[in-house]
Amino acid sequence: GNSVTQMEGPVTLSEEAFLTINCTYTATGYPSLFWYVQYPGEGLQLLLKATKADDKGSNKGFEATYRKETTSFHLEKGSVQVSDSAVYFCALNTGGGADGLTFGKGTHLIIQP
Amino acid sequence: NAGVMQNPRHLVRRRGQEARLRCSPMKGHSHVYWYRQLPEEGLKFMVYLQKENIIDESGMPKERFSAEFPKEGPSILRIQQVVRGDSAAYFCASSRQVDYEQYFGPGTRLTVT
């Protein structure tokens, strides 16, 4: 079956620090990969995605590269802000996208001024 | 364009009562997905529906849970005879057939007392 493993949190960083949140996966078939962000009391928002190997998804300064050889999709940002504090979920689906997402447990990111 | 709407946002039920959660997809979206988020856990896929059809219910508990997406009106997730373990946040997502990108609603937080 499908599964996603991401680093446990909370991750606490100072403003302007470099961010990496690790994500690895196992999948039957060829997955599409996603990062979602959840702010307190809200639903999930799609942050970025990649649908094939070596694709790089990017949005709002965040980036992640689909690495098929290492089955990874690590999230990075060069300089974090207090407003980036949230829970980040790595996810995948297969079957051309028309099926349910498999999520990691989430990483709580705390950015201190 | 209004986003995915869920109501109620908060629902309190006593053990043994029924809970009905409603989800209105984004305009033009014909696919609906339900997920459950237990405390300290990631989201778990429950069911995937198109209008009048259940496509994949592999994540639904076998008893007490049911879902529908009628030709007219919102999708409904119904939980009969709720127990304390049903306390969770329930999220709905919708997508178009073109790209299947899932957009999430704000969630319904169910508390069973």
Side-chain angles (χ1 to χ4, degrees):
Chain A
N2 298 337
S3 68
V4 175
T5 303
Q6 59 182 107
M7 58 193 296
E8 299 282 333
V11 173
T12 303
L13 296 172
S14 298
E15 204 166 21
E16 299 184 4
F18 184 86
L19 168 71
T20 300
I21 301 178
N22 290 336
C23 171
T24 57
Y25 67 88
T26 58
T28 54
Y30 201 116
S32 296
L33 303 174
F34 306 84
W35 278 100
Y36 281 84
V37 58
Q38 184 180 30
Y39 297 101
E42 298 185 10
L44 276 71
Q45 300 174 25
L46 178 63
L47 183 59
L48 52 84
K49 68 177 182 180
T51 57
K52 62 182 187 294
D54 300 324
D55 269 1
K56 178 186 283 187
S58 61
N59 186 24
K60 300 180 181 179
F62 290 89
E63 293 182 340
T65 301
Y66 189 144
R67 299 288 187 201
K68 191 164 186 281
E69 63 278 11
T70 54
T71 61
S72 64
F73 193 54
H74 304 321
L75 182 68
E76 296 181 335
K77 186 174 185 182
S79 176
V80 292
Q81 307 299 314
V82 172
S83 58
D84 294 326
S85 299
V87 180
Y88 292 80
F89 292 94
C90 185
L92 66 84
N93 64 5
T94 55
D99 61 356
L101 290 159
T102 299
F103 283 90
K105 290 190 174 183
T107 301
H108 186 192
L109 176 64
I110 301 168
I111 306 300
Q112 296 177 333
Chain B
N1 188 10
V4 178
M5 298 175 66
Q6 291 188 247
N7 65 80
R9 293 292 306 273
H10 299 276
L11 182 62
V12 179
R13 286 286 177 264
R14 292 200 177 111
R15 280 179 297 172
Q17 291 185 318
E18 178 179 288
R20 281 185 179 238
L21 288 63
R22 287 176 289 278
C23 169
S24 297
M26 288 180 68
K27 188 176 179 181
H29 287 197
S30 58
H31 301 245
V32 165
Y33 311 78
W34 285 94
Y35 295 84
R36 177 165 64 175
Q37 184 178 33
L38 293 167
E40 308 302 321
E41 294 284 329
L43 280 76
K44 301 292 186 186
F45 166 74
M46 299 179 75
V47 62
Y48 163 35
L49 309 104
Q50 295 178 21
K51 287 282 188 181
E52 300 184 281
N53 284 305
I54 296 174
I55 307 301
D56 179 1
E57 56 181 349
S58 58
M60 285 278 271
K62 294 291 185 284
E63 297 178 350
R64 303 187 297 108
F65 285 73
S66 62
E68 62 177 10
F69 188 17
K71 189 176 180 181
E72 302 290 339
S75 176
I76 306 287
L77 178 68
R78 182 182 178 204
I79 311 172
Q80 295 178 290
Q81 299 176 324
V82 296
V83 301
R84 288 222 172 102
D86 297 332
S87 295
Y90 292 81
F91 290 95
C92 166
S94 71
S95 71
R96 301 180 304 169
Q97 189 159 344
V98 173
D99 57 12
Y100 300 108
E101 187 170 304
Q102 294 182 30
Y103 293 80
F104 281 78
T108 294
R109 278 153 182 84
L110 172 66
T111 302
V112 179
T113 61

